[in-house]
């Protein structure tokens, strides 16, 4: 799943055996973002709102995290 975070950057979240893992995306690159940690039991349907809560300090009124894929 890919997400646009307030038009500032993109995050890709993938399921792995140990749980969800987040990657920061950029032009020609992708690296794991170890600062983003998901609690066990998080389901795909909650990911957009969870990321919105995590990065809310970057938002301005009217912006939100949105899924792009």
């Amino acid at each position: 799943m890919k997400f646009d975070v307030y038009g500032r950057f993109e995050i890709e979240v993938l399921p792995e055996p140990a749980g969800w893992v987040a990657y920061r995306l950029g032009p020609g690159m992708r690296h794991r973002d170890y600062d983003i940690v998901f609690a066990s039991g998080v389901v795909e349907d909650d990911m957009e709102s969870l990321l919105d809560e995590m990065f809310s300090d970057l938002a301005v009124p009217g912006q939100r995290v949105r899924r792009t894929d």
Side-chain angles (χ1 to χ4, degrees), residues 14-21:
L14 300 173
E16 294 196 358
W20 296 102
V21 176

Side-chain angles (χ1 to χ4, degrees), residues 1-67:
M1 298 175 283
K2 291 182 182 178
F3 298 90
D4 174 73
V5 180
Y6 310 122
R8 295 174 181 246
F9 55 90
E10 286 187 301
I11 297 280
E12 183 174 23
V13 180
L14 300 173
E16 294 196 358
W20 296 102
V21 176
Y23 295 89
R24 185 79 59 117
L25 304 176
M29 66 116 196
R30 178 182 114 169
H31 70 275
R32 185 160 176 190
D33 192 328
Y34 290 96
D35 293 327
I36 301 174
V37 179
F38 300 101
S40 62
V42 172
V43 296
E44 185 174 335
D45 291 342
D46 295 335
M47 199 61 66
E48 189 172 314
S49 63
L50 183 60
L51 288 169
D52 196 45
E53 288 175 28
M54 286 182 183
F55 292 105
S56 62
D57 58 325
L58 300 177
V60 295
Q63 287 185 323
R64 65 181 183 87
V65 171
R66 62 183 179 83
R67 188 168 177 176

